[in-house]
Amino acid sequence: MSLTVCIPVHHRHELLYNSLSSQISAYSKGFDVQLMKHSNRGEHTIGEIRQMMLEQVKTPYVTFIDADDRIHQHYFKWVFKGIEAGAKGIGFKGQITTNGQRPCEFIHSMRYTKWSDAMVNRQRVYYRPLNHLNPILTDIAKQIGYTALRHGEDLSYSNRLVESGLIKKEDEYFIDGTMYYYLYKSKK
């Protein structure tokens, strides 16, 4: 089984993309991973870009990684355990930071049917159903598709995935560890 990693790259993030693609190359050795890049200077919305990339995917599984984010060194090892198990989607935990500070946990799993957050031990935790950051069967991703939004295309995709019923919590392989590092930078 193979996985396509789609990386939309805004022109300001070319150097970050180079670093991420090197990381992916190193971490994916021994796994059937294809990398797809789409450069953009703002002429398309992120939703349009994700949809254009998704339409080109030929592998059984697809995921998106943002050019300015990072993954755990064992990301592919664990994702491919889920793929080999025949999962329709791969859930996992991740960490989000804002401007390199205030790390918070996020949990992506189909055990959640809507986006929410809560304070747990004085730390914010974000709960989400699977979204663009989670590897899923390409056929399912293509049935859901992305809307031409500038912001919120991930929420729209995630909500429609839940509503479709195409992946239920028992169809998911959940990785109980931090696999993804969402490095949010506020616009100042």
Side-chain angles (χ1 to χ4, degrees):
M1 289 293 213
S2 54
L3 168 72
T4 296
V5 176
C6 299
I7 306 176
V9 182
H10 194 279
H11 73 279
R12 294 182 318 239
H13 293 153
E14 284 294 334
L15 291 176
L16 294 171
Y17 167 79
N18 293 339
S19 174
L20 176 62
S21 65
S22 294
Q23 183 187 54
I24 289 171
S25 293
Y27 295 169
S28 66
K29 284 195 188 332
F31 298 102
D32 189 358
V33 174
Q34 297 179 22
L35 200 56
M36 182 187 298
K37 173 188 176 187
H38 183 330
S39 295
N40 183 43
R41 298 184 72 76
E43 61 272 15
H44 297 286
T45 68
I46 188 62
E48 290 169 328
I49 293 165
R50 290 194 199 287
Q51 185 62 31
M52 287 187 282
M53 295 179 84
L54 180 59
E55 289 170 2
Q56 296 175 43
V57 173
K58 304 283 189 252
T59 58
Y61 286 85
V62 62
T63 193
F64 286 82
I65 297 177
D66 294 339
D68 55 346
D69 292 343
R70 295 291 171 261
I71 56 172
H72 188 278
Q73 66 184 12
H74 297 300
Y75 175 91
F76 293 105
K77 172 185 170 183
W78 285 102
V79 163
F80 274 87
K81 284 184 184 279
I83 288 172
E84 290 163 7
K88 291 182 179 180
I90 313 294
F92 52 67
K93 293 179 179 179
Q95 182 183 79
I96 180 171
T97 56
T98 301
N99 301 322
Q101 299 178 21
R102 300 189 317 268
C104 299
E105 182 177 51
F106 67 77
I107 304 171
H108 291 180
S109 173
M110 292 309 284
R111 65 186 119 157
Y112 309 112
T113 58
K114 64 180 182 173
W115 286 35
S116 65
D117 61 89
M119 295 301 286
V120 178
N121 298 325
R122 295 192 288 174
Q123 292 285 323
R124 183 154 315 279
V125 178
Y126 297 93
Y127 302 97
R128 308 285 190 256
L130 301 185
N131 65 37
H132 67 293
L133 302 178
N134 299 94
I136 72 168
L137 284 169
T138 301
D139 289 342
I140 292 175
K142 287 181 176 181
Q143 287 179 61
I144 303 305
Y146 289 91
T147 52
L149 297 172
R150 243 178 230 295
H151 305 285
E153 85 296 341
D154 49 354
L155 173 60
S156 172
Y157 173 86
S158 188
N159 285 341
R160 288 179 291 108
L161 180 61
V162 169
E163 291 166 8
S164 76
L166 293 170
I167 302 179
K168 298 184 178 9
K169 62 183 173 184
E170 56 270 14
D171 300 322
E172 171 187 286
Y173 182 87
F174 185 76
I175 303 167
D176 192 13
T178 301
M179 293 290 112
Y180 195 98
Y181 301 93
Y182 188 109
L183 308 176
Y184 178 76
K185 296 199 177 34
S186 63
K187 306 209 182 343
K188 294 180 185 178

